[in-house]
């Protein structure tokens, strides 16, 4: 009979570690009933359709934004005198700096795009209805904060493009009667540009991200986890999901491992796509725009798509000025911001407005097909058409006039060539056509979409 040998030291250590881990887990579960709470959470069912992952795209883009922004903060100098040179140094001298800038920039673009796509999915399917009004309102707040954070970010390089946008913002502030001068002095700490860069930096890296870090988990995790997920309707008209019992049923896969694996794949896809864009597609080359100089020509670069709406609206709105009591009301500057303010106000309160007009106060767990809500779908298409026409105002620019200097002075530098320039007469005709289209096309889109939806729902 063979003599038993002592177990090896390594096997003994592994067995001891496993026993210690098991004892620790047992102790924690006895002290804090984690298993009792964790087991139903891991078995919570999540929908399987790809459109439910649009929110996750925004979430992972936001995570990448935080990580790359932390890296850039280590090298950026928020001093008005050296801000531009520090961004140029990050781009051209810091190892990996340009890639990090591009990753940060493309993450912001994907973040905003994913939010827009996610909100369109929620709006057109009616997923904002009772009992999910709070989730919708938090999403609208996230959308507004993302746009504001993007504006702060593109202003920090302090190049000619960034300061041109800040100059436009100062013009809007100065146009406000009675308090406009004080507001401008408060924001810019005196004259332009003043100390606006350090203030924007604090808001960009501390204030707004802090609010986002509080709102994103509340919107994406807590409320979503506590509520039942919305369900897609069955293809057949008499499908089980279309019955009252279907409102109470839950379909999909469990969070672990089904949805956890899908989430992991979505995260890898999002990061990989953003990395590919950052590697192969150049964006915002500040060294070409040059440092800000007062009176210098603004660069020919078009504003980013989510600012093109404001810039296009300023081009389309006539330069109306109304003198009242010794003050000049500059409606041409006020109307574009007011359009966005009204839009976000209506968007924020839309669940209650729709309930008011339809009288539908029931709980809804089933999603609508867009054709089943003709008015809502037509209204959404009309709003998208309206903002697209405003954005189209930035696609064409007027050819800059030829500049001449007085005798004895150096000749002025040539203005940067715009992407698409037309003569003055043609540009005026384009603007006039867009002014007509901004009122006519949304109405046509509304009537046409409503008719198509009604025909599809009747068939």
């Amino acid at each position: 009979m063979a003599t038993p040998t002592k177990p090896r030291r390594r096997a003994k250590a592994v067995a001891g570690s496993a026993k210690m881990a098991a004892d620790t887990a047992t102790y924690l579960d006895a002290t804090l009933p984690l298993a009792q709470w964790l087991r139903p959470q891991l078995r919570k069912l999540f929908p399987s359709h790809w459109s439910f992952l649009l929110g996750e795209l925004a979430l992972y883009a936001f995570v990448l934004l935080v990580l790359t922004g932390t890296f850039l903060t280590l090298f950026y100098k928020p001093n008005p005198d050296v801000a531009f040179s520090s961004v140029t140094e990050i781009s051209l001298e810091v190892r990996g700096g340009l890639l990090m800038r591009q990753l940060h920039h493309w993450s912001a673009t994907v973040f905003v795009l994913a939010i827009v796509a996610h909100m369109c999915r929620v709006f057109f399917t009616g997923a904002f209805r009772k009992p999910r009004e709070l989730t919708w309102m938090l999403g609208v707040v996230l959308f507004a904060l993302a746009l504001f954070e993007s504006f702060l970010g593109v202003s920090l390089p302090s190049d000619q493009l960034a300061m041109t946008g800040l100059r436009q913002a100062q013009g809007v502030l100065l146009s406000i009667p009675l308090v406009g001068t004080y507001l401008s002095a408060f924001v810019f700490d005196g004259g332009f540009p003043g100390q606006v860069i350090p203030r924007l930096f604090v808001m960009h890296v501390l204030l707004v991200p802090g609010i986002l870090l509080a709102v994103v988990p509340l919107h994406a995790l807590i409320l979503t986890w506590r509520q039942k997920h919305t369900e897609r309707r069955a293809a057949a008209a008499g499908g089980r999901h279309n019955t009252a019992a279907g409102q109470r049923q839950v379909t999909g896969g469990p969070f672990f491992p089904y949805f956890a694996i899908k989430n992991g794949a979505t995260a890898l896809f999002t990061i990989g796509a953003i990395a590919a864009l950052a590697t192969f597609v150049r964006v915002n080359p500040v060294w070409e725009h040059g440092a800000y100089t007062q009176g210098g020509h603004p660069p020919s670069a078009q504003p980013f798509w989510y600012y093109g709406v404001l810039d296009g609206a300023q081009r389309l709105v006539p330069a109306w000025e109304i003198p009242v009591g010794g003050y000049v009301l500059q409606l041409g500057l006020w109307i574009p911001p007011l359009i966005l303010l009204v839009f976000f106000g209506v968007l924020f309160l839309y669940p209650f407005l729709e309930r008011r007009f339809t009288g539908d106060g029931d709980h809804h767990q089933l999603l609508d097909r867009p054709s089943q809500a003709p008015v809502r779908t037509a209204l959404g298409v009309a709003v998208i058409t309206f903002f697209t026409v405003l954005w189209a105002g930035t696609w064409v620019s007027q050819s800059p006039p030829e500049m001449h200097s007085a005798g004895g002075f150096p000749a002025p530098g040539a203005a940067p060539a715009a992407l698409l320039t037309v003569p003055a007469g043609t540009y005026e005709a384009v603007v006039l056509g867009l002014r007509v289209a901004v009122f006519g096309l949304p109405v046509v889109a509304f009537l046409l979409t409503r008719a198509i939806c009604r025909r599809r729902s009747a068939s």
Side-chain angles (χ1 to χ4, degrees):
M1 183 175 176
T3 304
T5 58
K6 294 183 179 180
R8 295 182 179 179
R9 184 175 301 177
R10 183 176 179 182
K12 208 173 189 180
V14 171
S17 301
K19 184 177 183 305
M20 181 181 298
D23 292 343
T24 303
T26 303
Y27 171 77
L28 290 176
D29 186 53
T31 307
L32 305 170
L34 296 177
Q36 182 181 354
W37 173 85
L38 191 60
R39 186 176 294 109
Q41 308 307 322
L42 294 179
R43 303 306 298 172
K44 179 180 172 64
L45 297 182
F46 282 79
S48 58
H49 196 261
W50 64 267
S51 62
F52 288 90
L53 294 174
L54 292 173
E56 273 70 13
L57 289 178
L59 176 63
Y60 299 130
F62 176 68
V63 171
L64 194 57
L65 268 173
V66 174
L67 295 177
T68 55
T70 303
F71 175 88
L72 296 175
T73 304
L74 300 177
F75 299 94
Y76 177 74
K77 301 178 179 63
N79 188 307
D81 299 327
V82 297
F84 174 78
S85 60
S86 70
V87 175
T88 305
E89 181 182 357
I90 292 173
S91 304
L92 304 179
E93 298 182 22
V94 175
R95 181 171 297 179
L98 181 58
L99 179 61
M100 284 295 177
R101 272 199 65 230
Q102 304 250 111
L103 282 171
H104 192 71
H105 206 115
W106 279 113
S107 299
T109 301
V110 172
F111 182 52
V112 178
L113 275 174
I115 290 177
V116 172
H118 178 59
M119 292 190 70
C120 285
R121 197 274 301 176
V122 172
F123 178 83
F124 285 115
T125 59
F128 56 84
R129 293 173 296 176
K130 191 176 181 180
R132 297 174 180 83
E133 301 94 338
L134 181 58
T135 305
W136 168 263
M137 291 188 292
L138 286 176
V140 174
V141 171
L142 279 174
F143 185 29
L145 287 173
L147 293 179
F148 182 59
E149 178 77 345
S150 300
F151 175 75
L152 297 176
V154 297
S155 302
L156 288 179
S158 193
D159 60 331
Q160 194 71 27
L161 178 63
M163 302 308 285
T164 300
L166 285 175
R167 194 62 154 171
Q168 288 179 315
Q170 189 204 25
V172 174
L173 290 177
L174 289 174
S175 66
I176 302 176
L178 299 178
V179 297
T181 304
Y182 301 101
L183 287 176
S184 175
F186 173 76
V187 172
F188 293 92
D189 192 21
F192 184 87
Q195 295 297 316
V196 68
I197 295 299
R199 298 183 176 192
L200 295 182
F201 178 73
V202 171
M203 288 192 291
H204 183 69
V205 302
L206 290 179
L207 179 60
V208 180
I211 300 175
L212 286 172
L213 287 173
V215 177
V216 166
L218 183 62
H219 171 79
L221 299 177
I222 298 177
L223 290 179
T224 304
W225 211 279
R226 293 297 301 171
Q227 292 176 338
K228 174 186 180 295
H229 275 282
T230 51
E231 302 285 339
R232 296 176 66 222
R233 291 182 182 268
R240 62 182 177 86
H241 287 312
N242 298 334
T243 63
Q247 293 277 3
R248 298 188 298 271
Q249 286 183 322
V250 181
T251 60
F255 173 77
F256 185 84
Y258 172 77
F259 195 70
I261 294 175
K262 286 186 67 174
N263 255 331
T266 303
L268 293 177
F269 167 78
T270 304
I271 296 174
I274 293 174
L277 287 171
T279 304
F280 299 107
V281 183
R282 190 183 69 168
V283 64
N284 197 18
V286 295
W287 56 90
E288 293 184 1
H289 301 158
Y292 172 70
T293 56
Q294 295 191 15
H297 293 291
S300 60
Q302 297 295 324
F304 300 108
W305 64 273
Y306 36 84
Y307 295 126
V309 171
L310 270 178
D311 191 69
Q314 287 183 337
R315 298 189 187 192
L316 299 186
V317 174
W320 289 325
E321 295 183 353
I322 302 177
V324 176
Y327 296 95
V328 178
L329 305 182
Q330 312 225 350
L331 299 183
L333 290 176
W334 294 357
I335 291 178
L338 285 177
I339 290 174
L340 281 187
L341 185 62
V342 171
F343 168 71
F344 276 103
V346 173
L347 202 63
F348 186 79
L349 300 174
Y350 187 82
F352 308 100
L353 296 176
E354 182 175 289
R355 185 191 306 173
R356 171 76 175 178
F357 284 101
T358 61
D360 183 7
D362 298 335
H363 282 61
H364 291 277
Q365 311 296 348
L366 294 181
L367 298 176
D368 285 336
R369 293 193 185 91
S371 59
Q372 293 174 326
V375 175
R376 182 203 303 147
T377 304
L379 184 62
V381 173
V383 171
I384 293 174
T385 304
F386 173 76
F387 282 112
T388 302
V389 175
L390 290 183
W391 183 30
T394 65
W395 298 349
V396 181
S397 301
Q398 181 179 344
S399 300
E402 186 177 355
M403 303 294 291
H404 300 279
S405 59
F409 289 91
L419 299 178
L420 179 60
T421 59
V422 295
T426 305
Y427 180 75
E428 292 177 1
V430 170
V431 170
L432 180 60
L434 290 175
R435 286 174 179 172
V436 175
V438 80
F439 291 101
L441 284 184
V443 176
V444 174
F446 178 87
L447 297 176
L448 184 61
T449 304
R450 187 180 62 175
I452 294 174
C453 290
R454 286 177 174 176
R455 178 174 297 182
R456 287 181 60 88
S457 60
S459 59

